[in-house]
């Protein structure tokens, strides 16, 4: 690995030890940064500002997840879905496929990018387009969180286990790996929403 762009060298003292990194940033941040910064056969580059940025992103994820868990979801809310809810759920199915296929190939960076960063972009668009006060939106965000916690469990196990247990009563590591739901996949819905995005752009 590299440290701030330079090859690590224990003889020159140019090295960061795992224990030091975990003490400073936490185990989940350290693990996620290493798995997300390069594929296993590539050199990673430990840059402290990027590690801190990763820590901040995970903290924001935690805060939003807690908000989703704390929100009441009325019975039958899953029957009140609108177009934008179905769009996000369709994107979720594609994300399951992409992350699963990447992990089968041991491409940890590609898998974590799909499950975390790429889907965060979908969520950003969803929050812009959806009325988040609706019961259908609350149900959608809860379903999305439940699935993403399982997808992210290999990368940030402590955080995802805690949140998944709060949400469902069991740790993420004990839950089955998510499978795409064909009933929620809709290329037509995604194409329609892409038209909206293109017009707004």
């Amino acid at each position: 690995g590299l440290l701030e762009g330079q090859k690590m060298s224990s003889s020159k003292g140019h090295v960061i030890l795992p224990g030091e990194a975990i003490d400073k940033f936490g185990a989940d941040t350290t693990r996620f940064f290493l798995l997300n910064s390069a594929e296993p056969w590539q050199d990673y580059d430990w840059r402290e500002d990027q590690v801190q940025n990763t820590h901040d992103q995970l903290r924001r994820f935690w805060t939003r997840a807690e908000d989703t868990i704390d929100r009441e979801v009325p019975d039958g809310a899953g029957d009140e879905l609108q177009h934008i809810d179905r769009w996000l759920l369709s994107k979720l199915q594609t994300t399951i496929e992409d992350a699963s296929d990447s992990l089968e190939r041991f491409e940890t960076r590609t898998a974590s990018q799909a499950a975390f960063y790429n889907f965060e972009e979908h969520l950003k668009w969803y929050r812009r387009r959806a009325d988040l006060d609706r019961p259908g939106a609350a149900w959608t965000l809860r379903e999305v969180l439940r699935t993403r916690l399982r997808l992210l469990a290999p990368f940030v196990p402590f955080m995802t286990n805690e949140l998944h247990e709060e949400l469902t009563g069991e740790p993420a590591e004990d839950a089955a790996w998510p499978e795409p739901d064909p009933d929620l996949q809709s290329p037509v819905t995604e194409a329609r929403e892409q038209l909206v995005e293109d017009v707004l752009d």
Side-chain angles (χ1 to χ4, degrees), residues 27-181:
D28 273 344
T29 296
T30 301
R31 179 187 181 98
F32 188 61
F33 179 82
L34 291 173
L35 290 171
N36 185 62
S37 61
E39 302 294 6
W41 50 87
Q42 298 171 328
D43 289 341
Y44 64 86
D45 187 359
W46 182 273
R47 293 183 179 267
E48 191 155 312
D49 60 335
Q50 293 177 10
V51 181
Q52 182 62 55
N53 189 44
T54 299
H55 180 77
D56 295 343
Q57 289 167 338
L58 290 177
R59 185 180 293 275
R60 283 193 294 274
F61 178 90
W62 173 278
T63 301
R64 284 202 169 120
E66 289 280 10
D67 290 343
T68 299
I69 293 168
D70 291 342
R71 185 172 172 192
E72 285 276 334
V73 180
D75 291 340
D79 298 326
E80 301 178 25
L81 302 184
Q82 295 182 358
H83 159 80
I84 194 64
D85 305 319
R86 290 189 290 272
W87 170 81
L88 188 66
L89 292 168
S90 184
K91 288 291 188 184
L92 181 64
Q93 309 318 304
T94 305
T95 300
I96 294 170
E97 290 176 341
D98 292 345
S100 301
D101 291 347
S102 296
L103 284 176
E104 287 288 341
R105 297 190 299 269
F106 299 100
E107 296 172 353
T108 55
R109 181 179 189 277
T110 305
S112 62
Q113 288 278 328
F116 191 81
Y117 292 105
N118 294 354
F119 201 84
E120 283 296 310
E121 289 301 309
H122 300 325
L123 276 172
K124 190 184 297 182
W125 178 255
Y126 178 77
R127 292 187 191 103
R128 180 180 173 187
R129 289 269 291 133
D131 173 9
L132 300 180
D133 293 330
R134 289 181 300 106
W139 184 92
T140 299
L141 289 172
R142 202 175 181 89
E143 179 65 18
V144 162
L145 177 63
R146 185 179 64 82
T147 301
R148 286 184 79 207
L149 288 173
R150 288 178 288 163
L151 290 177
L152 291 168
F155 309 101
V156 279
F158 296 106
M159 182 174 77
T160 53
N161 275 335
E162 178 74 21
L163 290 169
H164 198 274
E165 192 158 4
E166 282 185 43
L167 181 64
T168 69
E170 68 172 341
E173 63 188 4
D174 293 339
W177 186 257
E179 297 285 341
D181 184 346

